[in-house]
Amino acid sequence: MDYSSPDYDSLSEDEIFQKFYAIVKRIPEGKVGTYGQVAEMAGRPGDARNVGHALSGSSKIDIPWHRVVSASGEIAMVVRSELRDRQKDLLLQEGVEFIDEYQVDMKRFDWQAKQQDLFG
């Protein structure tokens, strides 16, 4: 599949979400990517919010949703949410460390993949 130059007008929401899921599945254990990074790799720069929307229902399917955080490394779940604590627990189990209660140490655990590494 070539995700680098989608025809935005012809893609359904499901097709876009599938692109996001394919990229998130490539984030290795012990690393995190950002919503914006996933959107950009899918050829949809500026669509970070839609990545979050796609992942909001993905905990029921085989997608490592917990490996995606905000650009600053923060877990972007609602404060006092059980899913927020669940995401942190899953990342800790993978060896990801935090510099603040819910902020990943991005200097050490940021996934540095480029699009060509994924699909090229």
Side-chain angles (χ1 to χ4, degrees):
M1 286 183 163
D2 177 15
Y3 295 128
S4 61
S5 55
D7 179 354
Y8 296 124
D9 296 329
S10 68
L11 296 176
S12 70
E13 182 176 82
D14 185 59
E15 290 169 319
I16 294 166
F17 283 14
Q18 291 306 314
K19 288 183 175 202
F20 295 156
Y21 298 153
I23 292 165
V24 171
K25 284 182 177 183
R26 302 274 186 147
I27 302 172
E29 185 173 314
K31 294 290 183 183
V32 296
T34 68
Y35 296 101
Q37 180 184 27
V38 171
E40 188 168 327
M41 289 181 156
R44 299 186 64 84
D47 209 7
R49 188 176 300 269
N50 206 24
V51 173
H53 179 65
L55 294 178
S56 68
S58 68
S59 62
K60 299 175 185 79
I61 54 179
D62 188 27
I63 306 291
W65 59 271
H66 61 283
R67 295 183 188 146
V68 183
V69 296
S70 73
S72 65
E74 292 187 55
I75 291 176
M77 298 288 177
V78 176
V79 176
R80 295 187 203 101
S81 162
E82 288 181 26
L83 280 178
R84 189 176 202 210
D85 291 330
R86 176 74 177 135
Q87 183 174 8
K88 182 177 181 180
D89 289 344
L90 289 168
L91 290 171
L92 287 169
Q93 289 172 25
E94 294 184 357
V96 174
E97 296 175 8
F98 290 74
I99 58 173
D100 198 352
E101 186 174 5
Y102 291 102
Q103 186 173 11
V104 171
D105 183 348
M106 294 299 280
K107 289 181 182 173
R108 294 182 54 212
F109 298 98
D110 184 26
W111 180 47
Q112 296 294 317
K114 304 285 187 245
Q115 187 174 26
Q116 61 269 22
D117 298 332
L118 298 175
F119 309 109

